[in-house]
Amino acid sequence: MKSNQDLNAILDNVTASIRDEQIDANVIADASTRVWSRINAENAGAFMTENTPTLAAAERIENCADFQSLIPGYLRGDLSEARTLLFKDHTHECIPCRKALKAARSGAPAQVQFKASGPGLLKRYSMQPVYMRWGIAAMLVLTFGLLAIPLVQRFAPFGGALNATVQAAEGPVFKVDETSSSPLSEGQAIGKGESIRTAKDAHAVLKLNDGSLVEMKDRSEFYLSQNGKDATIHLDRGSIIVQAAKQNGGHLYVDTGDSLVSVTGTTFSVNTGTKGSRVSVIEGEVHLDHAGQESVLGAGQQATTHPSIQQVPVKEEISWSRNANRYAQSLAGLNSLRKELDHVAQPGVRTSTGLLDLMPENTVLYAALPNLTETLTESHRIMQERIKQNPALRDWLERERAGQRAPGLNQTLDRVREFGERLGDEIAVGAGIDGEGKPVGPIVLARVKDEASFRSFLEGQIKSISADSNHGPNVRIIEDPLTTAAAAQSNDKNDRTRPEIFVWIRDGLFAASPKLDELQALAKSLQAPGTNAFTATPFYARISEIYGEGAGLVVAADLQKIIAQTKNERVKDAGDAKREEALQQLGVTNLKYFILDQKEVSGKTHSRAVLSFNESQHGVVSWLAAPGPMGSLEYISPDANVVAGFVVKNPVALVDDLIGVIETTSPGLQDQLKKLETEHGLDVRKDFAAPLGGEFAFAVDGPILPTPAWKMVFEVNDPAHLQQTLEKVVGEVNQQAAKEGHSNMLQWEKADISGRTFYTLKTAGLPVEVNYTFVNGYMVVAPTRALVTRALTYRDSGYTLLRSPRFTAGLPADGNANFSALFYHNLAPVLEPIAQHMGDAGKNLPEEQQQALKAMASEMSPTLAYVYAEGDHITFAANTEGGPFGLSPATLLGMPNAFEIQHILQSGMHGK
């Protein structure tokens, strides 16, 4: 560590460098001119962006704006050493400035808005000399404080001193600085800011004081820094392998200059050199930030920061390590385990059930799921065997489990297996509603294979649960519901009986419910077969159709009964009555049934949800057209991230319905529309809706940064009328702006290229524009003319979304050639950076939730969801691997992002 004299000398040198730095007088004059121009524009209410002339670097650093003015010089590499040091420290701890630096690296314009300061602005620049002297003195004190803070943080950071100890050294290893180098041996410490370098054919292993291990290849060099709880390894050259320890509320970073790797506990390799960097993951996952783009890498994955750096097998990349064999075993073990779990047999569909026949007469909700015990048990058995056979995999899993508070997976799966292997192939749950619209307690039904064995096992489990806790429900096994009485409830809130769950086992049937009368009704139904009124209802018949087609996971709701019985709860005053009327106009109160069926078909998860209506002449069910061709999709590329398309019966009728709904909830809309037509000559129905056809598409089709590459495609039957309407709207907007003292708020540009007219609508003073053209009965809209032109090229070449293997892989094998609507996504490249940002911004979230959020993004596979409008019902469906919209049960349930839990559930429940 450096002495106090050394620290004082460094501080004196840095402040002297800043004080003595000279700025050209012409630069100052130019900056002054621009500042006064901005002040004048500020009082006029103008808005400025970074597309205006760039301000010169601040002469005095006082706030974030001054630090951000240093960004251009920092990227060019022409800042002084002192300012570079201050800038790096500040951006490490300041999120807004770090974002500004990232935007500058990627070329994204960061918009800045200046607020008007009021008429007293100029007076502040004519202060009396005495105030000027005191102001200068105060600014000097403030400036020294701002300079001292990052220096204090750099040399004495919060959270304890960061250091590393040389654990092993093979060959010459040195501590180096600007003027000297000294050899290091095992046991010696390296402090923050001190560089360590390995010579040719030398290797070293360092242990950080958080427990992380850093293995260095020959000709490698790095130093350490710390801000708060975050530690950074600055890799200047060479290769390292990091075994990151679990971080206590912070992160461990590896900074190579052109990329930033973030981890909280995993094993990975970083190799940086003249051309760029290569990051390889051995175990766990890392988050890589490069050129403003963030990505998540899992075990066995690799990324490079420059196209000239080819990817190589991870095994080859880490072959120099003393632990290369163990790492290779871990990678091979994970890959082999995944392949074996993918081939575990899945439960088949069920074509009949006796449990549905036993549901109560008042049932309005029904759910049934297959018994997954065999699948989960087999997956767990394979995993345990492979872990025992692979020492590296076993060691990694033990590290992953270290510190987890949740019950062990072995214990949980053992209990699930013991229950499941005693049950039949299905578990069903039903819930009803009474005449007052109040829910009735649910009932759970299942078949048991051996009644005596199951009863004995259940009694043992009840005894075990009761011994562990006195706060849970009292599970009570009864012999006959018709002769059993419920426990009396005490009126004393401090002495109330624990809630009861009644269990009845008879003739191979297991039934459980918190309401004794549900079991009593079941007993009466069993005594008189054929008398259950539920089996005669249309709701029962609709569910039976699902079993006839082969059922997987089934969820059904009798919406017409729920809506009818709960109306009194929804409508209590005049405001509720208006909302109810709006719901009727939308067709919501005409809903009949909701049926969801999810099952495995040809190795993929087929999810289908059907909404049926009592009538189809108005509302949502009347908007979508029957399945039809979508030519708009021909303007979208195969690499699109998000696509939505639909066809409607009549745009004018749809607008009329929406206007009617809004008029119901907010009276006066019709008067406003009439006023719009009278004063401006614009009719929403005739001028906007009528020129349109019935087909629409939207897509995010290209990079998100710096400008999101969105596009919209509309079918247009009367392009001349629509263009005339748009020009009229722009004229009206500019007229209104002129009355308020603004001129040419919206500006038109037209260009005739190859016989086609391209339109550009710009906003004065802002870098926002809309470009479009009319082609073959469609209007193609995008933020830039290049994107519009590219869309036309896709269509002319035939290289479109409709030819994408990722898109066509989700197409269903059914009798329909077209869709009424579709939604397609390949969101992982977009959501992974968002998930990382949310994880970083939400450090107060539990680690498990952060990991689940990141896992959700990384596990989302390309998905095609589609809709069929068929008279009185609408069918929503999707074919995908890993569940609807690519979300596995593990991610939906918020499971930790541990391969052990997540992959077993994926394999067991979705056949991934």
Side-chain angles (χ1 to χ4, degrees):
M1 298 294 295
K2 298 181 184 296
S3 66
N4 291 334
Q5 292 182 347
D6 293 335
L7 292 177
N8 292 335
I10 292 174
L11 181 60
D12 291 341
N13 291 336
V14 170
T15 53
S17 299
I18 297 173
R19 182 179 61 248
D20 297 338
E21 183 174 2
Q22 299 295 320
I23 301 178
D24 187 87
N26 293 330
V27 174
I28 297 176
D30 292 342
S32 175
T33 301
R34 286 193 293 271
V35 169
W36 280 110
S37 298
R38 288 197 175 196
I39 292 173
N40 293 331
E42 182 180 7
N43 286 332
F47 295 94
M48 304 183 69
T49 71
E50 290 188 359
N51 288 341
T52 58
T54 304
L55 287 175
E59 180 179 3
R60 179 181 296 158
I61 304 175
E62 299 178 359
N63 50 39
C64 285
D66 295 336
F67 274 107
Q68 292 180 24
S69 73
L70 303 179
I71 290 177
Y74 174 75
L75 295 177
R76 292 193 304 268
D78 55 13
L79 286 184
S80 67
E81 182 180 355
R83 288 200 164 196
T84 299
L85 175 65
L86 290 175
F87 181 80
K88 285 185 176 180
D89 277 314
H90 181 76
T91 52
H92 243 322
E93 66 181 11
C94 178
I95 294 177
C97 289
R98 191 157 64 242
K99 289 182 177 179
L101 177 61
K102 184 186 296 184
R105 279 175 169 164
S106 62
Q111 182 172 314
V112 180
Q113 179 173 330
F114 295 85
K115 296 182 180 179
S117 303
L121 175 66
L122 298 180
K123 294 181 180 179
R124 292 197 295 270
Y125 291 90
S126 59
M127 297 182 291
Q128 298 297 323
V130 61
Y131 297 116
M132 182 67 76
R133 288 196 297 272
W134 281 107
I136 292 173
M139 290 303 297
L140 287 174
V141 173
L142 177 61
T143 301
F144 181 81
L146 290 171
L147 293 175
I149 288 174
L151 290 173
V152 170
Q153 288 178 331
R154 180 171 183 84
F155 289 100
F158 297 102
L162 176 68
N163 61 66
T165 302
V166 179
Q167 195 173 68
E170 299 175 0
V173 181
F174 300 95
K175 180 172 67 175
V176 297
D177 56 34
E178 293 183 357
T179 60
S180 64
S181 63
S182 56
L184 289 172
S185 58
E186 295 181 9
Q188 286 190 261
I190 297 294
K192 65 175 184 55
E194 296 180 331
S195 294
I196 179 172
R197 179 186 300 168
T198 53
K200 183 179 183 299
D201 298 327
H203 294 76
V205 178
L206 284 85
K207 184 174 184 179
L208 308 188
N209 56 355
D210 68 351
S212 299
L213 294 177
V214 182
E215 185 178 7
M216 302 178 66
K217 191 181 179 182
D218 64 333
R219 298 186 180 276
S220 300
E221 180 178 339
F222 73 80
Y223 68 92
L224 302 171
S225 68
Q226 183 179 25
N227 279 290
K229 293 184 178 180
D230 295 338
T232 302
I233 300 171
H234 299 269
L235 182 61
D236 291 331
R237 66 178 67 89
S239 297
I240 60 174
I241 295 176
V242 181
Q243 295 183 36
K246 295 289 184 181
Q247 302 298 301
N248 184 21
H251 286 81
L252 177 64
Y253 297 93
V254 176
D255 185 359
T256 65
D258 66 343
S259 65
L260 188 67
V261 181
S262 170
V263 298
T264 57
T266 187
T267 304
F268 62 100
S269 163
V270 182
N271 182 354
T272 187
T274 305
K275 294 165 61 177
S277 303
R278 180 189 291 120
V279 179
S280 310
V281 183
I282 303 168
E283 299 167 352
E285 70 174 26
V286 305
H287 298 263
L288 174 64
D289 183 342
H290 166 63
Q293 300 291 330
E294 298 185 24
S295 58
V296 179
L297 303 177
Q301 293 183 315
Q302 188 178 89
T304 62
T305 62
H306 194 277
S308 64
I309 304 177
Q310 294 184 351
Q311 294 196 14
V312 299
V314 176
K315 180 179 179 180
E316 177 182 329
E317 177 71 0
I318 60 175
S319 60
W320 58 269
S321 170
R322 59 168 58 187
N323 297 317
N325 290 335
R326 181 169 65 84
Y327 294 148
Q329 288 178 0
S330 179
L331 288 168
L334 286 172
N335 186 53
S336 175
L337 184 54
R338 286 193 182 98
K339 291 180 178 179
E340 289 194 65
L341 291 179
D342 286 340
H343 290 88
V344 174
Q346 308 303 315
V349 297
R350 306 177 307 286
T351 56
S352 65
T353 177
L355 302 181
L356 178 63
D357 297 349
L358 301 178
M359 287 295 161
E361 179 182 355
N362 59 5
T363 298
V364 294
L365 293 173
Y366 174 83
L369 68 155
N371 189 337
L372 300 168
T373 304
E374 293 184 5
T375 300
L376 291 174
T377 300
E378 178 64 10
S379 296
H380 188 233
R381 183 192 63 78
I382 292 174
M383 185 188 70
Q384 292 296 324
E385 288 183 357
R386 294 298 168 264
I387 290 175
K388 291 178 181 178
Q389 297 170 5
N390 191 317
L393 193 59
R394 183 173 61 247
D395 293 344
W396 168 68
L397 196 57
E398 289 175 355
R399 291 197 304 272
E400 286 289 304
R401 287 174 172 173
Q404 291 185 1
R405 299 178 182 178
L409 181 65
N410 291 344
Q411 180 183 354
T412 302
L413 286 180
D414 285 343
R415 183 167 292 181
V416 170
R417 177 183 55 79
E418 290 176 327
F419 265 109
E421 67 186 6
R422 290 173 167 82
L423 299 177
D425 63 352
E426 181 179 58
I427 301 172
V429 182
I433 192 170
D434 63 19
E436 297 179 356
K438 297 180 180 179
V440 176
I443 185 170
V444 180
L445 301 176
R447 293 291 178 183
V448 295
K449 297 176 181 178
D450 186 321
E451 187 174 322
S453 173
F454 180 77
R455 184 184 184 107
S456 175
F457 169 75
L458 184 60
E459 289 174 344
Q461 293 298 313
I462 293 172
K463 184 177 180 180
S464 174
I465 293 173
S466 299
D468 293 340
S469 173
N470 293 320
H471 303 290
N474 177 31
V475 182
R476 181 179 171 191
I477 300 177
I478 61 177
E479 300 299 332
D480 186 353
L482 298 178
T483 60
T484 301
Q489 297 292 319
S490 171
N491 292 323
D492 184 355
K493 66 179 181 179
N494 296 320
D495 185 31
R496 289 187 175 176
T497 305
R498 290 163 58 191
E500 288 188 299
I501 295 179
F502 300 94
V503 174
W504 182 38
I505 305 171
R506 176 197 165 182
D507 298 335
L509 177 67
F510 164 80
S513 177
K515 297 294 184 181
L516 181 59
D517 53 4
E518 292 295 298
L519 298 186
Q520 291 171 342
L522 174 62
K524 292 177 182 179
S525 175
L526 291 173
Q527 287 180 351
T531 61
N532 186 355
F534 178 65
T535 60
T537 63
F539 185 44
Y540 169 88
R542 182 65 188 89
I543 299 174
S544 296
E545 292 177 6
I546 299 297
Y547 282 97
E549 299 169 356
L553 169 67
V554 179
V555 178
D558 190 343
L559 297 177
Q560 60 183 348
K561 283 188 178 180
I562 296 174
I563 292 171
Q565 293 293 339
T566 58
K567 182 176 180 179
N568 291 336
E569 291 294 324
R570 298 195 310 271
V571 182
K572 295 181 178 179
D573 54 33
D576 291 337
K578 287 185 177 180
R579 285 189 287 272
E580 185 74 8
E581 183 179 351
L583 292 176
Q584 290 178 355
Q585 292 176 317
L586 287 172
V588 173
T589 55
N590 284 321
L591 283 167
K592 191 174 183 179
Y593 303 128
F594 169 79
I595 307 291
L596 168 67
D597 176 36
Q598 185 175 309
K599 58 191 175 186
E600 296 302 315
V601 179
S602 301
K604 293 184 179 180
T605 301
H606 177 70
S607 304
R608 180 182 61 175
V610 180
L611 271 177
S612 56
F613 297 78
N614 285 307
E615 72 96 8
S616 59
Q617 298 306 311
H618 72 280
V620 176
V621 70
S622 69
W623 297 350
L624 281 179
M630 296 186 186
S632 55
L633 301 181
E634 297 178 1
Y635 296 91
I636 298 172
S637 82
D639 301 319
N641 296 116
V642 177
V643 180
F646 57 95
V647 290
V648 300
K649 293 179 181 177
N650 188 332
V652 176
L654 190 156
V655 170
D656 287 342
D657 275 356
L658 291 176
I659 291 175
V661 171
I662 299 174
E663 177 68 20
T664 299
T665 56
S666 303
L669 177 63
Q670 294 286 0
D671 293 338
Q672 293 294 327
L673 293 177
K674 290 180 180 179
K675 183 178 179 181
L676 176 67
E677 183 177 359
T678 301
E679 294 181 357
H680 303 285
L682 292 171
D683 187 311
V684 173
R685 296 175 74 258
K686 295 180 180 178
D687 295 328
F688 290 97
L692 298 177
E695 187 186 339
F696 305 86
F698 169 83
V700 176
D701 193 3
I704 300 298
L705 297 174
T707 301
W710 57 266
K711 66 178 62 170
M712 293 187 290
V713 184
F714 305 91
E715 185 181 20
V716 180
N717 295 332
D718 191 347
H721 188 172
L722 182 59
Q723 179 61 28
Q724 182 182 7
T725 300
L726 294 175
E727 292 179 357
K728 192 169 188 178
V729 169
V730 170
E732 293 292 328
V733 169
N734 285 338
Q735 286 183 15
Q736 185 64 31
K739 294 179 182 179
E740 298 176 1
H742 305 284
S743 60
N744 294 327
M745 290 296 294
L746 298 176
Q747 302 171 356
W748 282 108
E749 288 184 4
K750 298 182 183 180
D752 292 324
I753 303 174
S754 300
R756 179 171 290 115
T757 302
F758 289 84
Y759 300 87
T760 301
L761 184 59
K762 294 185 175 182
T763 304
L766 292 175
V768 178
E769 62 182 51
V770 175
N771 293 263
Y772 64 91
T773 189
F774 296 98
V775 54
N776 297 326
Y778 291 94
M779 179 182 181
V780 182
V781 189
T784 66
R785 184 177 299 170
L787 288 173
V788 175
T789 303
R790 197 176 304 161
L792 304 184
T793 303
Y794 291 140
R795 181 186 181 277
D796 293 341
S797 66
Y799 182 68
T800 70
L801 176 72
L802 301 178
R803 302 295 179 265
S804 166
R806 290 189 293 268
F807 177 83
T808 56
L811 294 175
D814 57 24
N816 293 287
N818 297 295
F819 305 111
S820 298
L822 64 82
F823 175 81
Y824 167 80
H825 81 69
N826 183 21
L827 279 177
V830 177
L831 289 186
E832 286 171 356
I834 296 176
Q836 171 65 19
H837 172 74
M838 293 180 67
D840 289 343
K843 291 184 178 179
N844 292 328
L845 289 175
E847 180 68 20
E848 293 82 1
Q849 295 185 23
Q850 293 188 31
Q851 293 297 330
L853 177 66
K854 296 171 184 177
M856 180 182 295
S858 63
E859 290 297 323
M860 293 187 77
S861 303
T863 298
L864 172 64
Y866 47 92
V867 179
Y868 298 132
E870 301 167 295
D872 63 351
H873 63 277
I874 301 175
T875 300
F876 305 84
N879 293 326
T880 182
E881 296 181 359
F885 296 96
L887 298 177
S888 69
T891 55
L892 290 174
L893 294 174
M895 295 293 183
N897 185 24
F899 174 81
E900 179 184 17
I901 295 177
Q902 186 163 322
H903 197 83
I904 286 178
L905 284 178
Q906 286 177 335
S907 298
M909 299 185 72
H910 286 294
K912 187 174 178 181

